[in-house]
């Protein structure tokens, strides 16, 4: 399934990365950032950081980085489309019925 850039942008704005990650990782506030143990590799000292204002994460240990869609893709090992469908469903966002071929992203 393909989605328009506008739909993906709206989804990224509506879904909180912090909320999505905190379902799997215990996060602590450090200034404006959120920190926790990386869910992608074993570690004892938190190196996984979230910048809530940007909606991005980065792990200084393993190099994982991205946005909420990337997090769902990496954490659950699903395709881009499945991650988008899951996130949209989690906030009750209706999926587009048809898209214009010139503005598609997969």
């Amino acid at each position: 399934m393909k989605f328009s850039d506008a739909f993906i942008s709206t989804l990224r704005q509506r879904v909180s990365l912090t909320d999505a990650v905190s379902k799997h990782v215990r996060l602590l506030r450090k200034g404006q950032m959120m920190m926790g143990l990386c869910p992608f590799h074993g570690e004892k000292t938190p190196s996984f950081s979230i910048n809530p204002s940007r909606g991005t994460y980065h792990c200084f240990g393993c190099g994982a980085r991205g946005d909420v869609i990337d997090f769902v893709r990496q954490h659950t090992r699903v395709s881009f489309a499945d991650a988008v469908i899951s996130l949209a469903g989690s906030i009750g966002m209706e999926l587009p019925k048809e898209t214009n071929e010139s503005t598609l992203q997969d």
Side-chain angles (χ1 to χ4, degrees):
M1 179 174 224
K2 299 201 179 234
F3 303 98
S4 71
D5 290 340
F7 179 81
I8 297 301
S9 178
T10 301
L11 180 65
R12 286 181 174 132
Q13 291 171 1
R14 289 187 185 176
V15 177
S16 163
L17 174 61
T18 302
D19 290 345
V21 172
S22 67
K23 293 177 183 174
H24 309 284
V25 176
R26 183 171 174 255
L27 298 172
L28 299 172
R29 180 164 296 282
K30 299 283 185 182
Q32 294 182 357
M33 306 290 280
M34 302 296 289
M35 298 290 295
L37 297 176
C38 181
F40 305 120
H41 76 280
E43 62 183 4
K44 295 179 182 179
T45 305
S47 65
F48 186 83
S49 67
I50 295 175
N51 184 328
S53 64
R54 290 185 185 168
T56 59
Y57 67 89
H58 179 250
C59 175
F60 295 96
C62 70
R65 63 177 56 223
D67 62 16
V68 69
I69 296 171
D70 297 320
F71 178 80
V72 171
R73 287 183 74 187
Q74 275 192 299
H75 192 260
T76 60
R77 298 180 184 192
V78 297
S79 68
F80 180 86
D82 288 340
V84 169
I85 291 167
S86 173
L87 287 168
S90 74
I91 60 166
M93 188 174 172
E94 189 172 324
L95 295 172
K97 301 212 183 319
E98 292 184 31
T99 56
N100 181 346
E101 288 290 326
S102 65
T103 60
L104 296 181
Q105 177 179 346
D106 67 338

